[in-house]
Amino acid sequence: RALSVLDRVRSRGREAMEKACSRASADGAALLRGLIVGDVSGMGGEVREDFTRLGLAHLLSISGFHITLMAMMALTMLRVAGD
């Protein structure tokens, strides 16, 4: 049951990513994928060089640390607002 929920979440995330990328240029879509999920496979030479030079993969890719921070902020907001 948990795996099916995880699969649905991944599928919805993938659909949302593709919807956002469909509105961007090819370089923009590749950059978006790189920033959000760390997928740099579709980046062209100049975009990849800039992306790597600036170190954006380490700053903006979603990681366990980012998820933890978001969860902690949400919990704090719930406690402040009252459960």
Side-chain angles (χ1 to χ4, degrees):
R1 180 172 164 93
L3 290 177
S4 68
V5 171
L6 184 60
D7 286 340
R8 280 186 273 151
V9 169
R10 284 181 180 163
S11 176
R12 291 178 105 185
R14 195 174 304 115
E15 289 171 9
M17 173 73 72
E18 292 307 317
K19 185 177 179 182
C21 288
S22 69
R23 296 184 219 147
S25 66
D27 285 342
L31 186 60
L32 184 63
R33 284 186 189 99
L35 290 173
I36 294 176
V37 295
D39 177 12
V40 295
S41 62
M43 286 187 187
E46 185 175 319
V47 175
R48 179 175 254 185
E49 287 174 18
D50 291 342
F51 190 84
T52 304
R53 180 176 49 84
L54 295 172
L56 293 176
H58 298 291
L59 294 175
L60 298 175
S61 293
I62 296 173
S63 67
F65 179 70
H66 291 99
I67 301 281
T68 302
L69 285 179
M70 287 188 286
M72 288 174 56
M73 287 189 294
L75 179 61
T76 302
M77 289 171 53
L78 280 172
R79 286 184 177 166
V80 168
D83 297 321

Coordinates of all heavy atoms in Angstrom, one line a residue:
R1 N 0.8 -1.2 0.0 CA 0.0 0.0 0.0 C 0.9 1.3 0.0 O 0.6 2.2 -0.7 CB -0.9 0.0 1.2 CG -1.8 1.2 1.3 CD -2.8 1.0 2.4 NE -3.5 2.2 2.8 CZ -4.6 2.6 2.2 NH1 -5.2 1.9 1.3 NH2 -5.1 3.8 2.6
A2 N 1.9 1.3 0.8 CA 2.8 2.4 0.9 C 3.5 2.6 -0.4 O 3.7 3.8 -0.9 CB 3.8 2.3 2.0
L3 N 3.9 1.6 -1.1 CA 4.6 1.7 -2.4 C 3.7 2.3 -3.4 O 4.1 3.0 -4.3 CB 5.1 0.3 -2.8 CG 6.3 -0.2 -2.0 CD1 6.7 -1.5 -2.5 CD2 7.5 0.8 -2.1
S4 N 2.4 1.9 -3.4 CA 1.4 2.4 -4.4 C 1.2 3.9 -4.2 O 1.1 4.7 -5.1 CB 0.1 1.7 -4.4 OG -0.6 2.0 -3.2
V5 N 1.2 4.4 -2.9 CA 1.1 5.8 -2.6 C 2.3 6.5 -3.1 O 2.3 7.6 -3.8 CB 0.9 6.0 -1.1 CG1 1.0 7.5 -0.8 CG2 -0.4 5.5 -0.7
L6 N 3.5 6.0 -2.9 CA 4.8 6.5 -3.3 C 4.8 6.6 -4.9 O 5.2 7.7 -5.4 CB 5.9 5.7 -2.8 CG 7.3 6.3 -3.2 CD1 7.5 7.7 -2.6 CD2 8.4 5.3 -2.6
D7 N 4.3 5.6 -5.5 CA 4.3 5.6 -7.0 C 3.4 6.7 -7.5 O 3.7 7.4 -8.5 CB 3.8 4.3 -7.5 CG 4.9 3.2 -7.4 OD1 6.1 3.6 -7.3 OD2 4.6 2.0 -7.5
R8 N 2.2 6.9 -6.8 CA 1.3 8.0 -7.3 C 1.9 9.4 -7.1 O 1.7 10.2 -7.9 CB 0.0 7.9 -6.5 CG -0.9 6.8 -7.1 CD -2.3 6.8 -6.5 NE -2.2 5.9 -5.3 CZ -2.8 6.0 -4.2 NH1 -3.7 7.0 -4.0 NH2 -2.6 5.2 -3.2
V9 N 2.6 9.5 -5.9 CA 3.2 10.8 -5.7 C 4.3 11.1 -6.7 O 4.4 12.2 -7.2 CB 3.8 10.8 -4.2 CG1 4.7 12.0 -4.0 CG2 2.7 10.8 -3.2
R10 N 5.1 10.1 -7.0 CA 6.1 10.3 -8.0 C 5.5 10.6 -9.4 O 6.0 11.4 -10.1 CB 7.0 9.0 -8.2 CG 7.9 8.9 -7.0 CD 8.8 7.6 -7.2 NE 9.7 7.4 -6.1 CZ 10.3 6.3 -5.8 NH1 10.1 5.2 -6.5 NH2 11.2 6.3 -4.8
S11 N 4.4 9.9 -9.7 CA 3.8 10.1 -11.0 C 3.2 11.6 -11.1 O 3.4 12.2 -12.1 CB 2.6 9.1 -11.2 OG 1.9 9.4 -12.4
R12 N 2.6 12.0 -10.0 CA 2.1 13.4 -10.0 C 3.2 14.4 -10.1 O 3.0 15.4 -10.8 CB 1.2 13.6 -8.8 CG -0.1 12.8 -8.8 CD -0.8 13.0 -7.6 NE -2.0 13.9 -7.9 CZ -2.8 14.3 -7.0 NH1 -2.6 14.1 -5.7 NH2 -3.8 15.1 -7.3
G13 N 4.3 14.2 -9.4 CA 5.4 15.1 -9.5 C 6.0 15.1 -10.9 O 6.3 16.2 -11.4
R14 N 6.1 13.9 -11.5 CA 6.6 13.9 -12.9 C 5.7 14.6 -13.8 O 6.2 15.4 -14.7 CB 6.8 12.4 -13.3 CG 7.6 12.2 -14.5 CD 7.8 10.7 -14.8 NE 8.4 10.0 -13.7 CZ 7.8 9.0 -13.0 NH1 6.6 8.6 -13.3 NH2 8.4 8.4 -12.0
E15 N 4.4 14.5 -13.7 CA 3.4 15.2 -14.5 C 3.5 16.7 -14.4 O 3.5 17.5 -15.3 CB 2.0 14.7 -14.2 CG 1.7 13.3 -14.7 CD 0.4 12.8 -14.2 OE1 -0.4 13.6 -13.6 OE2 0.1 11.6 -14.4
A16 N 3.7 17.1 -13.1 CA 3.8 18.6 -12.8 C 5.1 19.1 -13.4 O 5.1 20.2 -14.0 CB 3.8 18.8 -11.3
M17 N 6.2 18.3 -13.3 CA 7.4 18.8 -13.9 C 7.3 18.9 -15.4 O 7.8 19.9 -16.0 CB 8.5 17.8 -13.5 CG 9.8 18.0 -14.2 SD 10.7 19.4 -13.6 CE 11.2 18.7 -12.0
E18 N 6.7 17.9 -16.1 CA 6.6 18.0 -17.5 C 5.7 19.1 -18.0 O 6.0 19.8 -19.0 CB 6.1 16.6 -18.1 CG 7.1 15.5 -17.9 CD 8.5 15.8 -18.5 OE1 8.5 16.4 -19.6 OE2 9.5 15.6 -17.8
K19 N 4.7 19.4 -17.2 CA 3.8 20.5 -17.5 C 4.5 21.8 -17.4 O 4.4 22.7 -18.3 CB 2.6 20.5 -16.5 CG 1.5 21.6 -16.9 CD 0.4 21.5 -15.9 CE -0.7 22.5 -16.2 NZ -1.8 22.5 -15.3
A20 N 5.3 22.0 -16.4 CA 6.1 23.2 -16.2 C 7.2 23.3 -17.3 O 7.4 24.4 -17.9 CB 6.8 23.3 -14.8
C21 N 7.8 22.2 -17.7 CA 8.8 22.2 -18.7 C 8.3 22.5 -20.1 O 9.0 23.0 -20.9 CB 9.6 20.9 -18.7 SG 10.7 20.8 -17.2
S22 N 7.0 22.1 -20.3 CA 6.4 22.3 -21.6 C 6.3 23.8 -21.9 O 6.2 24.2 -23.1 CB 5.1 21.6 -21.7 OG 4.1 22.2 -20.9
R23 N 6.2 24.6 -20.9 CA 6.1 26.1 -21.2 C 7.4 26.8 -21.4 O 7.4 28.0 -21.7 CB 5.3 26.7 -20.0 CG 3.9 26.2 -19.8 CD 3.3 26.9 -18.6 NE 2.5 26.0 -17.9 CZ 2.3 26.0 -16.6 NH1 2.8 26.9 -15.9 NH2 1.5 25.1 -16.0
A24 N 8.5 26.1 -21.1 CA 9.8 26.8 -21.2 C 10.5 26.4 -22.5 O 10.1 25.5 -23.1 CB 10.6 26.3 -20.0
S25 N 11.6 27.2 -22.7 CA 12.4 26.8 -23.9 C 13.2 25.5 -23.6 O 13.1 25.1 -22.4 CB 13.4 28.0 -24.1 OG 14.3 28.1 -23.0
A26 N 13.9 25.0 -24.5 CA 14.6 23.8 -24.3 C 15.7 24.0 -23.2 O 15.8 23.1 -22.3 CB 15.3 23.3 -25.6
D27 N 16.4 25.1 -23.3 CA 17.4 25.3 -22.2 C 16.7 25.6 -20.9 O 17.2 25.1 -19.9 CB 18.3 26.5 -22.6 CG 19.3 26.2 -23.7 OD1 19.6 25.0 -23.9 OD2 19.8 27.2 -24.3
G28 N 15.6 26.3 -20.9 CA 14.9 26.5 -19.7 C 14.4 25.3 -19.0 O 14.4 25.1 -17.8
A29 N 13.8 24.4 -19.9 CA 13.3 23.1 -19.4 C 14.4 22.3 -18.8 O 14.3 21.7 -17.7 CB 12.6 22.4 -20.5
A30 N 15.6 22.2 -19.4 CA 16.7 21.5 -18.9 C 17.2 22.1 -17.6 O 17.5 21.3 -16.7 CB 17.8 21.4 -20.0
L31 N 17.2 23.4 -17.5 CA 17.7 24.0 -16.3 C 16.7 23.8 -15.2 O 17.1 23.5 -14.0 CB 17.8 25.5 -16.6 CG 18.4 26.4 -15.4 CD1 19.8 25.9 -15.1 CD2 18.4 27.8 -15.8
L32 N 15.4 23.8 -15.5 CA 14.4 23.5 -14.5 C 14.5 22.1 -13.9 O 14.5 21.9 -12.7 CB 13.0 23.7 -15.1 CG 11.8 23.6 -14.2 CD1 11.8 24.7 -13.1 CD2 10.5 23.7 -15.0
R33 N 14.7 21.2 -14.8 CA 14.9 19.8 -14.4 C 16.1 19.7 -13.5 O 16.2 18.9 -12.5 CB 15.0 18.8 -15.5 CG 13.7 18.6 -16.2 CD 13.8 17.5 -17.3 NE 12.6 17.4 -18.0 CZ 12.3 18.0 -19.2 NH1 13.3 18.7 -19.8 NH2 11.2 17.8 -19.8
G34 N 17.2 20.4 -13.9 CA 18.4 20.3 -13.1 C 18.3 20.9 -11.8 O 18.8 20.4 -10.8
L35 N 17.6 22.0 -11.7 CA 17.4 22.7 -10.4 C 16.5 22.0 -9.4 O 16.8 21.9 -8.2 CB 16.9 24.1 -10.6 CG 17.8 25.1 -11.3 CD1 17.1 26.4 -11.6 CD2 19.0 25.4 -10.4
I36 N 15.4 21.4 -10.0 CA 14.4 20.8 -9.1 C 14.8 19.4 -8.7 O 14.7 19.0 -7.5 CB 13.0 20.8 -9.7 CG1 12.6 22.3 -9.8 CG2 12.0 20.0 -8.9 CD1 11.3 22.5 -10.5
V37 N 15.2 18.6 -9.7 CA 15.5 17.2 -9.3 C 16.9 16.7 -9.6 O 17.3 15.6 -9.4 CB 14.5 16.2 -10.1 CG1 13.1 16.4 -9.7 CG2 14.7 16.4 -11.6
G38 N 17.8 17.7 -10.0 CA 19.2 17.4 -10.2 C 19.5 16.6 -11.5 O 20.6 16.0 -11.6
D39 N 18.5 16.6 -12.4 CA 18.7 15.8 -13.7 C 19.4 16.8 -14.7 O 18.8 17.7 -15.3 CB 17.4 15.4 -14.3 CG 17.5 14.7 -15.6 OD1 18.7 14.4 -16.0 OD2 16.5 14.5 -16.3
V40 N 20.7 16.6 -14.9 CA 21.5 17.5 -15.8 C 21.7 16.8 -17.2 O 22.5 17.3 -18.0 CB 22.8 17.9 -15.2 CG1 22.5 18.8 -14.0 CG2 23.7 16.7 -14.8
S41 N 21.1 15.7 -17.4 CA 21.4 14.9 -18.6 C 20.9 15.6 -19.9 O 21.5 15.5 -20.9 CB 20.7 13.5 -18.6 OG 19.3 13.7 -18.5
G42 N 19.9 16.5 -19.8 CA 19.4 17.1 -21.0 C 20.0 18.5 -21.3 O 19.6 19.2 -22.2
M43 N 20.9 18.9 -20.4 CA 21.5 20.2 -20.6 C 22.5 20.3 -21.7 O 23.4 19.4 -21.9 CB 22.2 20.7 -19.3 CG 21.3 21.0 -18.2 SD 22.2 21.7 -16.8 CE 20.9 21.9 -15.7
G44 N 22.5 21.4 -22.5 CA 23.5 21.6 -23.5 C 24.8 22.1 -22.9 O 24.9 22.3 -21.7
G45 N 25.8 22.2 -23.7 CA 27.1 22.6 -23.3 C 27.2 23.8 -22.4 O 27.8 23.8 -21.3
E46 N 26.7 25.0 -22.9 CA 26.9 26.2 -22.2 C 26.0 26.3 -21.0 O 26.5 26.7 -19.9 CB 26.4 27.4 -23.2 CG 26.7 28.7 -22.5 CD 26.4 29.9 -23.5 OE1 26.7 29.7 -24.7 OE2 25.8 30.9 -23.0
V47 N 24.8 25.7 -21.0 CA 24.0 25.7 -19.8 C 24.6 24.8 -18.8 O 24.6 25.2 -17.6 CB 22.5 25.2 -20.2 CG1 21.7 25.1 -18.9 CG2 21.9 26.2 -21.2
R48 N 25.1 23.7 -19.2 CA 25.7 22.8 -18.2 C 26.9 23.4 -17.6 O 27.2 23.3 -16.4 CB 26.1 21.4 -18.9 CG 26.7 20.5 -17.9 CD 27.0 19.2 -18.6 NE 26.0 18.3 -18.0 CZ 25.9 17.0 -18.2 NH1 26.7 16.5 -19.1 NH2 25.0 16.3 -17.7
E49 N 27.8 24.1 -18.4 CA 28.9 24.7 -17.8 C 28.6 25.8 -16.8 O 29.1 25.8 -15.7 CB 29.8 25.4 -18.9 CG 30.5 24.4 -19.8 CD 31.2 25.1 -21.0 OE1 31.3 26.3 -20.9 OE2 31.5 24.4 -21.9
D50 N 27.6 26.6 -17.1 CA 27.1 27.6 -16.2 C 26.5 27.0 -14.9 O 26.8 27.4 -13.8 CB 26.0 28.5 -16.8 CG 26.6 29.4 -17.9 OD1 27.9 29.6 -17.9 OD2 25.8 29.9 -18.7
F51 N 25.7 26.0 -15.1 CA 25.1 25.3 -14.0 C 26.2 24.7 -13.1 O 26.1 24.9 -11.8 CB 24.2 24.1 -14.6 CG 23.3 23.5 -13.6 CD1 22.1 24.0 -13.2 CD2 23.7 22.3 -13.0 CE1 21.3 23.4 -12.3 CE2 22.9 21.7 -12.1 CZ 21.7 22.2 -11.7
T52 N 27.2 24.1 -13.6 CA 28.2 23.5 -12.8 C 29.1 24.5 -12.2 O 29.5 24.4 -11.0 CB 29.1 22.5 -13.7 OG1 28.2 21.6 -14.3 CG2 30.1 21.8 -12.9
R53 N 29.4 25.5 -12.9 CA 30.3 26.6 -12.4 C 29.7 27.3 -11.2 O 30.4 27.6 -10.2 CB 30.6 27.6 -13.5 CG 31.5 28.8 -13.1 CD 31.8 29.7 -14.3 NE 30.7 30.1 -15.0 CZ 29.9 31.2 -14.7 NH1 30.1 31.9 -13.6 NH2 28.9 31.5 -15.5
L54 N 28.4 27.5 -11.3 CA 27.7 28.2 -10.2 C 27.4 27.3 -9.0 O 27.0 27.8 -7.9 CB 26.4 28.9 -10.7 CG 26.6 30.0 -11.7 CD1 25.3 30.4 -12.3 CD2 27.4 31.1 -11.1
G55 N 27.5 26.0 -9.2 CA 27.2 25.0 -8.1 C 25.7 25.0 -7.7 O 25.4 24.7 -6.6
L56 N 24.8 25.2 -8.7 CA 23.4 25.2 -8.4 C 22.9 23.9 -8.0 O 21.9 23.8 -7.2 CB 22.6 25.8 -9.6 CG 22.9 27.2 -9.9 CD1 22.1 27.6 -11.2 CD2 22.5 28.1 -8.7
A57 N 23.5 22.8 -8.4 CA 22.9 21.5 -8.0 C 23.0 21.3 -6.5 O 22.1 20.7 -5.9 CB 23.8 20.4 -8.7
H58 N 24.0 21.8 -5.9 CA 24.1 21.7 -4.4 C 23.2 22.6 -3.7 O 22.8 22.3 -2.6 CB 25.5 21.9 -4.0 CG 26.5 20.9 -4.6 ND1 26.4 19.6 -4.3 CD2 27.4 21.0 -5.6 CE1 27.4 18.9 -5.0 NE2 27.9 19.8 -5.8
L59 N 22.8 23.7 -4.3 CA 22.0 24.7 -3.6 C 20.5 24.5 -3.7 O 19.8 24.7 -2.7 CB 22.3 26.1 -4.1 CG 23.7 26.7 -3.8 CD1 23.9 28.0 -4.5 CD2 23.9 26.8 -2.4
L60 N 20.1 24.0 -4.8 CA 18.6 24.0 -5.1 C 18.0 22.6 -5.3 O 16.8 22.5 -5.3 CB 18.3 24.9 -6.3 CG 18.7 26.4 -6.1 CD1 18.4 27.2 -7.4 CD2 17.9 27.0 -5.0
S61 N 18.8 21.6 -5.5 CA 18.2 20.3 -5.7 C 17.5 19.9 -4.4 O 18.0 20.1 -3.3 CB 19.2 19.3 -6.1 OG 19.7 19.6 -7.3
I62 N 16.3 19.3 -4.6 CA 15.6 18.8 -3.4 C 16.3 17.6 -2.8 O 16.7 16.7 -3.5 CB 14.1 18.4 -3.8 CG1 13.4 19.7 -4.3 CG2 13.4 17.8 -2.7 CD1 12.0 19.4 -4.9
S63 N 16.5 17.7 -1.5 CA 17.2 16.6 -0.8 C 16.4 16.3 0.4 O 15.5 17.0 0.8 CB 18.6 17.0 -0.5 OG 18.6 18.1 0.4
G64 N 16.9 15.3 1.2 CA 16.3 15.0 2.4 C 16.4 16.2 3.4 O 15.4 16.4 4.2
F65 N 17.4 16.9 3.3 CA 17.6 18.1 4.2 C 16.5 19.1 3.9 O 15.9 19.7 4.8 CB 19.0 18.7 4.0 CG 19.2 19.9 4.9 CD1 19.4 19.8 6.2 CD2 19.4 21.1 4.3 CE1 19.6 20.9 7.0 CE2 19.6 22.2 5.0 CZ 19.7 22.1 6.4
H66 N 16.3 19.4 2.6 CA 15.3 20.4 2.3 C 13.9 19.9 2.7 O 13.1 20.7 3.2 CB 15.3 20.6 0.8 CG 16.5 21.3 0.3 ND1 17.6 20.7 -0.3 CD2 16.8 22.6 0.4 CE1 18.5 21.6 -0.6 NE2 18.1 22.8 -0.2
I67 N 13.6 18.6 2.5 CA 12.3 18.1 3.0 C 12.1 18.2 4.5 O 11.1 18.6 5.0 CB 12.2 16.6 2.6 CG1 12.3 16.4 1.1 CG2 10.9 16.0 3.1 CD1 11.1 16.8 0.2
T68 N 13.2 17.9 5.2 CA 13.2 18.1 6.7 C 12.9 19.5 7.1 O 12.1 19.8 8.0 CB 14.5 17.6 7.3 OG1 14.7 16.2 6.9 CG2 14.5 17.7 8.8
L69 N 13.6 20.5 6.4 CA 13.4 21.9 6.7 C 11.9 22.3 6.5 O 11.3 23.0 7.3 CB 14.3 22.8 5.9 CG 15.8 22.8 6.4 CD1 16.6 23.7 5.5 CD2 15.9 23.3 7.8
M70 N 11.4 21.9 5.3 CA 10.0 22.2 5.0 C 9.0 21.6 6.0 O 8.1 22.3 6.4 CB 9.7 21.8 3.6 CG 10.3 22.6 2.5 SD 9.8 22.3 0.9 CE 10.6 20.7 0.6
A71 N 9.3 20.4 6.4 CA 8.4 19.8 7.4 C 8.5 20.5 8.8 O 7.5 20.7 9.4 CB 8.8 18.3 7.6
M72 N 9.7 20.9 9.2 CA 9.9 21.6 10.4 C 9.2 22.9 10.4 O 8.5 23.4 11.4 CB 11.3 21.8 10.7 CG 12.0 20.5 11.2 SD 13.8 20.6 11.4 CE 13.9 21.9 12.6
M73 N 9.2 23.6 9.3 CA 8.6 24.9 9.1 C 7.1 24.8 9.2 O 6.4 25.5 9.8 CB 9.0 25.6 7.8 CG 10.4 26.2 7.9 SD 10.8 27.2 6.5 CE 10.8 26.1 5.2
A74 N 6.5 23.7 8.5 CA 5.1 23.5 8.5 C 4.6 23.1 9.9 O 3.6 23.6 10.4 CB 4.8 22.3 7.5
L75 N 5.4 22.3 10.6 CA 5.0 22.0 12.0 C 5.0 23.2 12.9 O 4.1 23.4 13.7 CB 6.0 20.9 12.5 CG 5.8 20.5 14.0 CD1 4.4 19.8 14.1 CD2 6.8 19.5 14.4
T76 N 6.0 24.1 12.8 CA 6.1 25.3 13.6 C 4.9 26.2 13.3 O 4.3 26.7 14.2 CB 7.4 26.0 13.3 OG1 8.5 25.2 13.6 CG2 7.5 27.3 14.1
M77 N 4.5 26.3 12.0 CA 3.4 27.1 11.6 C 2.1 26.6 12.2 O 1.2 27.3 12.6 CB 3.3 27.3 10.1 CG 4.5 28.1 9.5 SD 4.6 28.1 7.7 CE 2.9 28.6 7.2
L78 N 2.0 25.3 12.2 CA 0.8 24.6 12.8 C 0.7 24.9 14.3 O -0.4 25.2 14.8 CB 0.8 23.1 12.5 CG 0.3 22.7 11.1 CD1 0.5 21.2 10.9 CD2 -1.2 23.0 10.9
R79 N 1.8 24.8 14.9 CA 1.8 25.0 16.4 C 1.5 26.5 16.7 O 0.8 26.7 17.7 CB 3.2 24.6 17.0 CG 3.3 23.1 17.0 CD 4.6 22.7 17.7 NE 4.7 21.3 17.8 CZ 5.8 20.6 18.0 NH1 6.9 21.3 18.3 NH2 5.8 19.3 18.1
V80 N 2.1 27.4 15.9 CA 1.8 28.8 16.2 C 0.3 29.1 15.9 O -0.3 29.9 16.7 CB 2.7 29.7 15.3 CG1 2.3 31.1 15.3 CG2 4.2 29.5 15.8
A81 N -0.2 28.6 14.9 CA -1.6 28.9 14.5 C -2.6 28.1 15.4 O -3.8 28.4 15.4 CB -1.8 28.5 13.0
G82 N -2.1 27.1 16.1 CA -3.0 26.3 16.9 C -3.4 25.1 16.2 O -3.9 25.1 15.0
D83 N -3.2 23.9 16.8 CA -3.6 22.7 16.2 C -5.1 22.6 16.0 O -5.7 22.0 15.3 CB -3.1 21.5 17.0 CG -1.6 21.4 17.1 OD1 -0.9 21.7 16.1 OD2 -1.1 21.2 18.2

